């Protein structure tokens, strides 16, 4: 019997035992689904950290006042506060005037939440921050409408605002945000640009913000104290100079702060590598463990299929006898049962994949963007079919080896 | 005509008949182990069937007729003795060769029909053609024709449980004939049929026989046995009589 003939037979048998097939499928569906959901979550989480946390562009580094460990307890933080001075515009000017391998350096400040008013419409708790115009290049900011700030606007503390897509859509539903005024704490700002929508990350909307030229921000929000601290973002002249650029920033900062060789940094530099390293140390081992759980579910699915196929062989002994009496070879019977098992589990895998995709869409809209890479989808279908073949092998072999007359006598 | 000891015959005829001998059974025993006791379903059975013979096997219930048919049909193997089909020793054939014989050479009408319960009449009849590797279109046509020849052309989509006993028997006959086997083995083929259908089936068998096919039929009905050209009577697993009547 050829392939399509046998496949048709397998599908007919699966259809003829609908309930049993469905119950068999559940094992496979749950296995593949759990595996794919966890896998896509991990993928999404990795991508999230790579792109968003470390990110702003994978080739940039950030200079901040405090390091991660400084936040570990209040004593450490108090000590760090004494030791690490705030970053200032003089610092960044110093860096900019001396840098060789650093390509660009820009300052940002932020972290305030304010209500924004346009006429009678109020949008509450919108994140407000300030940035130098060069940040638009460093962070590769894409504008949907209008433009980013200019140096002139920043230097003169002009009250202009670059806003997120949500803010634009909420306050100016007609899409004419650019050129209009928004009111923050009683002060009007003119909208000059709208960013391309970025969606949500961990349930946090990324498009609900207002960004001001950093000097405008400083002038109108009471300087760069507390949560409005300054921090710098830098890029290297080329990818292979990245390490040198980071090193240059560190050295220049140390010189500026007159640190001796045995004194530690009084600032912190974050690189994507450092953050990815942190992620790997967090998730490296858990990654395996997290994947092991759905892998076990998959294994259980395989055992269910093997069981059902064994039952099916026993139940269909008579059928096997009839087929053999009419000229079916051992290989025909073997193929019939193998195809049935493989088709069954491939269908289960496919349904599991579709469900995983749906769950992924929900997770993406609520938490972090998840993504099932095409190769993972192929692998999971393949793996479930192989699992099906392996699970079906023993029952199929048993069926193929049956003595025709013994099989015919079965009731 | 009576021949208690079938072995002597081919020895006498020698090589002359060897080319025409289709079935040759030599001292065949079929023994079932029932606990400590041995049950001999066939005891030392020997006979030969030439190509194109029309043979009836008769005997009381439990005498071993079905057991013998299963052996002839290569579905079962003897406990002792040799069985040649077409000059080949069955015990030395590979599984694939046996499958090919069952598929191409033998059409078997079982006493209990042995139809696939979940499949339609048409699919049941198609089965031997599927294993013969025939394409779907041609297969469908042949199966339709075979069902029409047993007057079930209007029942092709019925499943066995939607057919009467006689209709099921006719599906089984259509299935046995569809692949044009050279040997037709029929175990009580008219058991569930009325006399009219019965007569039609017997006419069909005669037609097949006249076309040169070999027919072996188990029956307890005399008018069925009388259509044959030779009758073997079995009792307690032994050949009691082997007579040529035509
Ligand atoms: N698998 C088996 N195990 C044990 N004994 C068996 C088996 N098959 C058949 N027998 C015995 O062998 C004997 C012959 O059985 P068989 O089916 O050949 O009879 P039969 O002549 O076809 O009878 P009927 O006319 O009723 O069909 C019977 O006594 C039966 O009980
Ligand atoms: Mg019988």
């Amino acid at each position: 019997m050829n392939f399509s003939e046998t496949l048709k037979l397998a599908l007919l048998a699966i259809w003829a035992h609908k309930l049993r097939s469905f119950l068999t499928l559940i094992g496979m569906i749950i296995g593949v689904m759990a595996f794919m959901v966890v896998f896509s979550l991990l993928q999404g989480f990795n991508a999230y950290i790579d792109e968003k946390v470390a990110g702003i562009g994978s080739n940039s580094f950030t200079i901040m006042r405090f390091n991660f460990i400084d936040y570990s307890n209040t004593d450490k933080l108090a000590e760090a506060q004494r030791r690490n001075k705030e970053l200032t515009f003089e610092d960044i000017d110093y860096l900019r005037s001396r840098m060789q391998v650093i390509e660009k350096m820009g300052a940002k400040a932020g972290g305030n939440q304010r209500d924004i008013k346009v006429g009678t419409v109020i949008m509450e708790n919108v994140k407000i921050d300030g940035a130098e115009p060069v940040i638009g290049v460093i962070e590769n900011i894409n504008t949907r409408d209008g433009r980013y700030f200019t140096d002139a606007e920043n230097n003169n503390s002009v009250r202009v605002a670059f806003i997120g897509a949500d803010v634009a859509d909420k306050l100016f539903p007609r899409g004419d945000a650019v050129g209009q005024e928004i009111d923050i704490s009683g002060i009007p700002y003119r909208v000059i640009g709208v960013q391309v929508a970025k969606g949500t990350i961990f349930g946090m909307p990324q498009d609900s913000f207002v960004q001001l030229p950093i000097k405008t921000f400083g002038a109108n929000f009471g300087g760069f104290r507390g949560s409005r601290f300054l921090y710098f973002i830098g890029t290297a002249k080329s990818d292979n100079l990245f390490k040198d650029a980071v090193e240059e920033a560190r050295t220049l900062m140390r010189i500026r702060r007159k640190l001796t060789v045995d004194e530690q940094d009084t600032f912190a530099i974050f690189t994507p590598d450092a953050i990815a390293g942190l992620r790997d140390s967090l998730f490296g081992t858990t990654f395996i463990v997290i994947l092991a759980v759905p892998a076990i579910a998959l294994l259980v699915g395989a055992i269910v299929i093997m069981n059902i196929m064994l039952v099916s062989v026993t139940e269909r002994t008579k059928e096997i006898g009839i087929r053999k009496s009419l000229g079916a070879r051992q290989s025909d019977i073997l193929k019939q049962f193998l195809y049935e098992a493989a088709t069954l589990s491939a269908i289960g895998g496919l349904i599991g994949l579709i469900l995983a995709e749906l769950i992924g869409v929900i997770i993406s809209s609520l938490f972090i963007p998840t993504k099932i890479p095409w190769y993972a989808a192929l692998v999971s279908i393949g793996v479930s079919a192989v699992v099906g073949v392996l699970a079906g092998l023993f029952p199929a072999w048993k069926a193929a080896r049956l003595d025709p007359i013994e099989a015919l006598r079965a009731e | 005509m009576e021949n208690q000891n079938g072995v002597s015959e081919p020895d006498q005829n020698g090589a002359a008949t060897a080319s025409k001998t289709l079935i040759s059974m030599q001292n065949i025993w079929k023994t079932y182990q029932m606990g400590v006791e041995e049950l001999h379903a066939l005891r030392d059975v020997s006979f030969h069937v030439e190509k194109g013979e029309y043979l009836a096997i008769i005997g009381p219930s439990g005498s071993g007729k079905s057991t013998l048919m299963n052996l002839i049909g290569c579905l079962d193997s003897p406990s002792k003795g040799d069985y040649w089909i077409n000059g080949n020793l069955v015990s030395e054939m590979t599984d694939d060769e046996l499958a090919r014989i069952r598929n191409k050479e033998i059409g078997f009408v079982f006493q209990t029909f042995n139809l696939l319960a979940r499949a339609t009449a048409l699919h049941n009849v198609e089965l031997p053609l599927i294993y013969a590797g025939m394409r779907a279109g041609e297969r469908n046509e042949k199966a339709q024709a075979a069902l029409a020849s047993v007057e079930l052309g209007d029942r092709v989509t019925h499943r066995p449980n939607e057919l009467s006993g006689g209709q099921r028997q006719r599906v089984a006959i259509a299935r046995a004939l569809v692949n044009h086997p050279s040997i037709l083995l029929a175990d009580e083929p008219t058991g569930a049929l009325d006399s009219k259908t019965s007569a039609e089936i017997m006419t069909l068998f005669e037609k097949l026989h006249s076309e040169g096919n070999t027919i072996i039929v188990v029956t307890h009905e005399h008018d069925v046995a009388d259509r044959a050209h030779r009758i073997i009577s079995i009792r307690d697993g032994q050949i009691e009589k082997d007579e040529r009547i035509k």
Side-chain angles (χ1 to χ4, degrees):
Chain A
M1 266 200 306
N2 63 23
F3 176 79
S4 66
E5 227 30 278
T6 317
L7 190 67
K8 218 170 93 188
L9 205 63
L11 289 172
L12 279 176
I14 289 168
W15 185 246
H17 305 267
K18 282 181 275 294
L19 181 63
R20 192 175 72 189
S21 300
F22 175 69
L23 292 175
T24 314
L25 285 175
I26 284 182
M28 219 58 218
I29 290 173
I30 291 177
V32 169
M33 189 179 71
F35 194 84
M36 288 321 297
V37 166
V38 171
F39 189 78
S40 66
L41 258 174
L42 289 174
Q43 285 278 325
F45 196 80
N46 280 350
Y48 165 78
I49 293 185
D50 286 348
E51 286 172 37
K52 313 296 172 183
V53 180
I56 322 171
S58 59
N59 206 18
S60 68
F61 58 92
T62 305
I63 307 178
M64 286 199 173
R65 183 181 175 192
F66 300 122
N67 212 326
F68 285 139
I69 45 162
D70 297 331
Y71 293 99
S72 53
N73 60 53
T74 46
D75 287 351
K76 276 226 168 94
L77 190 58
E79 189 204 319
Q81 271 168 336
R82 273 192 309 275
R83 187 186 63 225
N84 297 6
K85 285 183 286 178
E86 283 173 1
L87 297 174
T88 62
F89 282 113
E90 287 71 40
D91 289 334
I92 198 167
D93 287 342
Y94 179 87
L95 291 172
R96 279 201 278 239
S97 63
R98 285 167 181 79
M99 65 195 192
Q100 303 286 320
V101 282
I102 298 172
E103 189 187 25
K104 286 194 170 65
M105 194 84 175
K108 279 183 90 174
N112 270 27
Q113 305 240 317
R114 295 290 164 90
D115 295 350
I116 299 177
K117 246 169 45 184
V118 171
T120 53
V121 185
I122 297 177
M123 194 169 175
E124 290 178 344
N125 295 327
V126 177
K127 196 181 102 194
I128 316 274
D129 64 2
E132 287 186 320
V134 69
I135 291 294
V137 181
I138 292 174
E139 292 190 359
N140 199 11
I141 287 173
N142 293 312
T143 49
R144 189 178 80 186
D145 304 313
R147 57 173 176 84
Y148 203 62
F149 321 119
T150 62
D151 283 325
E153 281 164 338
N154 186 39
N155 293 336
N156 298 312
S157 303
V158 179
R159 290 201 295 267
V160 289
F162 183 75
I163 62 177
D166 284 355
V167 178
D169 295 343
K170 177 106 186 273
L171 297 177
F172 306 101
R174 280 181 298 165
D176 53 353
V178 175
Q180 308 254 32
E181 281 196 344
I182 56 174
D183 182 304
I184 309 171
S185 308
I187 300 170
Y189 298 84
R190 187 165 51 87
V191 175
I192 55 159
V194 179
Q195 195 185 11
V196 168
K198 291 174 92 176
T200 63
I201 296 172
F202 273 135
M204 307 278 287
Q206 297 298 295
D207 300 314
S208 181
F209 70 87
V210 169
Q211 198 161 58
L212 308 175
I214 197 159
K215 295 219 167 114
T216 314
F217 179 73
N220 293 289
F221 286 82
F224 303 103
R225 320 209 139 264
S227 67
R228 297 184 302 276
F229 62 85
L230 273 186
Y231 60 97
F232 310 146
I233 295 170
T235 56
K237 282 196 167 140
S238 74
D239 281 357
N240 43 18
L241 287 175
F242 185 70
K243 275 211 176 81
D244 297 335
V246 172
E247 208 39 54
E248 184 177 53
R250 171 170 292 123
T251 311
L252 287 174
M253 280 302 289
R254 288 184 68 92
I255 294 170
R256 175 162 170 77
R257 294 201 165 168
K258 302 191 175 64
L259 300 175
T260 59
V261 195
D262 37 292
E263 276 177 302
Q264 64 181 100
D265 291 349
T266 57
F267 54 89
I269 299 185
F270 299 96
T271 62
D273 275 2
I275 294 170
L278 187 74
R279 174 203 69 201
D280 287 347
S281 67
L282 274 173
F283 288 95
T285 43
T286 20
F287 193 87
I288 311 280
V289 177
I290 292 170
L291 277 181
V293 176
I296 289 170
L298 212 65
L299 191 71
V300 172
I303 293 170
V304 169
I305 289 190
M306 170 127 73
N307 248 305
I308 303 274
M309 290 310 292
L310 277 173
V311 170
S312 165
V313 166
T314 315
E315 209 177 61
R316 284 152 67 190
T317 304
K318 177 105 182 175
E319 175 191 329
I320 295 162
I322 292 172
R323 290 182 183 278
K324 285 200 146 189
S325 78
L326 299 173
R329 288 165 303 180
Q330 289 194 356
S331 58
D332 291 325
I333 303 291
L334 190 78
K335 269 197 273 177
Q336 182 187 341
F337 279 85
L338 273 187
Y339 278 42
E340 211 175 302
T343 310
L344 205 53
S345 57
I347 292 175
L350 193 68
I351 296 177
L353 196 64
I354 291 169
L355 289 181
E357 188 75 56
L358 290 178
I359 292 175
V361 169
I362 295 169
I363 291 176
S364 295
S365 67
L366 292 180
F367 306 105
I368 59 168
T370 61
K371 197 166 162 277
I372 299 181
W374 63 268
Y375 66 86
L378 278 186
V379 164
S380 78
I381 299 271
V383 163
S384 47
V386 167
V387 160
V389 168
L390 291 180
L393 205 58
F394 176 62
W397 180 79
K398 251 188 90 172
R401 292 286 308 264
L402 280 175
D403 186 44
I405 195 70
E406 292 298 330
L408 274 176
R409 282 203 187 102
E411 246 346 298
Chain B
M1 274 292 155
E2 210 171 306
N3 189 352
Q4 276 283 57
N5 186 2
V7 188
S8 58
E9 205 179 57
D11 287 351
Q12 286 158 5
N13 295 350
T17 54
S19 62
K20 275 174 65 195
T21 304
L22 189 59
I23 285 165
S24 171
M25 292 222 160
Q26 304 259 332
N27 311 101
I28 293 284
W29 289 74
K30 183 70 191 178
T31 308
Y32 293 108
Q33 196 71 43
M34 305 300 290
V36 285
E37 286 194 18
E38 289 196 327
L39 191 153
H40 301 290
L42 293 175
R43 320 161 180 254
D44 202 22
V45 170
S46 301
F47 68 96
H48 308 269
V49 179
E50 307 293 305
K51 271 201 182 89
E53 270 199 85
Y54 191 165
L55 167 70
I57 298 174
I58 58 169
S61 180
S63 56
K65 304 182 297 292
S66 294
T67 306
L68 184 59
M69 289 293 260
N70 291 336
L71 286 177
I72 298 172
C74 296
L75 295 173
D76 206 354
S77 42
S79 312
K80 247 197 298 181
D82 290 326
Y83 170 33
W84 278 273
I85 186 163
N86 262 333
N88 300 308
L89 190 58
V90 170
S91 60
E92 286 178 351
M93 286 188 197
T94 66
D95 195 81
D96 279 5
E97 283 167 347
L98 288 174
R100 202 199 67 83
I101 296 234
R102 286 179 210 129
N103 183 245
K104 293 250 163 49
E105 306 295 337
I106 293 166
F108 210 128
V109 183
F110 294 95
Q111 193 170 9
T112 50
F113 315 146
N114 286 338
L115 300 175
L116 286 188
R118 290 179 183 275
T120 61
L122 187 71
H123 186 72
N124 267 292
V125 176
E126 272 184 328
L127 281 172
L129 304 178
I130 290 178
Y131 292 115
M134 193 180 284
R135 281 182 305 104
E138 194 182 355
R139 207 166 72 202
N140 188 284
E141 230 168 74
K142 290 214 168 176
Q144 295 263 13
L147 279 168
S149 75
V150 292
E151 280 167 40
L152 282 177
D154 55 346
R155 292 286 187 280
V156 289
T157 59
H158 286 233
R159 283 165 216 287
N161 63 355
E162 296 158 351
L163 294 168
S164 73
Q167 286 170 330
R168 280 179 223 178
Q169 188 140 42
R170 281 184 279 157
V171 173
I173 291 168
R175 186 179 65 182
L177 296 178
V178 74
N179 211 9
H180 300 297
S182 50
I183 313 169
L184 180 70
L185 301 177
D187 198 348
E188 300 277 5
T190 55
L193 302 183
D194 59 65
S195 54
K196 181 177 160 283
T197 330
S198 216
E200 278 164 13
I201 295 298
M202 294 327 293
T203 310
L204 191 65
F205 281 16
E206 251 158 37
K207 181 168 159 274
L208 285 168
H209 176 238
S210 69
E211 289 165 0
N213 295 304
T214 311
I215 294 174
I216 303 177
V217 54
V218 168
T219 185
H220 60 264
E221 288 169 64
H222 276 290
D223 45 344
V224 172
D226 288 344
R227 302 277 196 118
H229 296 198
R230 176 183 168 193
I231 299 178
I232 291 181
S233 313
I234 300 193
R235 186 177 292 275
D236 286 338
Q238 283 180 304
I239 295 185
E240 191 184 51
K241 252 198 296 185
D242 185 346
E243 52 190 343
R244 203 163 292 275
I245 55 172
K246 275 176 202 155

